[in-house]
Amino acid sequence: ISALTLTNIPTHDYGSGAEAVISATRGWPRVCTFYEARLWFAGLKGRPQTILGSKTNDFYNFDAGTGLADEALYDTLDTDQINPIVNIFPGRQLQVFTEGGEFSNTSSPITPADSSWTRHTNYGSKSNVRPDTMDGSTLYIDRSGRNLREFIFSFTEDAYTSQSSSTLAYDIINAPVDLTTVRGTEEDISNFVLLVKGDGTMAVLNTLRIEEVDG
């Protein structure tokens, strides 16, 4: 393990001149992921609604240059309230989960000239529990800490929805601290979602979408 050396970090005027948005002074990204051959950072302490995307196939270089298709991105969610980003996830689209809503980038591919963030639902996401994917949906814990939700595209709505997967067992989910999935095999087709709770116990969802099974 060694320290990363990032180059061409974007700057922002915090009132005392332009400063790098990633530093010991301004803080570090709280979440990251890889998507479309870029490294993405979000959840910056001083810029909580900002998303950074590296140059294509040059993961530690954040040079925005002149905005060419392979150069870095510096996006900020345009919302009517402060929405700190708590998770970023490479689903069917690049997805961002904030304290107040769920977003995706509807551009394909994402480039500096074509990067469009759309808010789909407004449940908010619990920080420090990374989403996971199962059967084409992104599973996340909403900000209440009591609901496991499926962020999935609905063709009838032409947008993502956030259906609760835990309505029938609302009482057994309380402040999860981690989430993971175990996918079915040829011998056992069941899929399991494991929710580790703060008291050391675990809630387990048995799910198989094609058979409409949720237990």
Side-chain angles (χ1 to χ4, degrees), residues 1-20:
I1 298 175
S2 61
L4 300 181
T5 300
L6 304 179
T7 59
N8 302 303
I9 298 171
T11 60
H12 177 74
D13 188 348
Y14 293 94
S16 56
E19 299 179 47

Side-chain angles (χ1 to χ4, degrees), residues 55-113:
K55 292 190 67 174
T56 302
N57 292 316
D58 193 358
F59 298 135
Y60 308 140
N61 187 348
F62 288 83
D63 186 5
T66 58
L68 298 178
D70 67 338
E71 292 180 320
L73 292 92
Y74 181 60
D75 289 348
T76 299
L77 298 179
D78 184 13
T79 64
D80 58 356
Q81 60 183 351
I82 298 298
N83 263 328
I85 296 170
V86 297
N87 274 304
I88 185 169
F89 191 79
R92 294 189 176 188
Q93 298 173 334
L94 184 60
Q95 301 164 354
V96 160
F97 297 84
T98 76
E99 290 182 359
E102 294 71 53
F103 298 74
S104 76
N105 196 306
T106 56
S107 299
S108 181
I110 303 171
T111 68

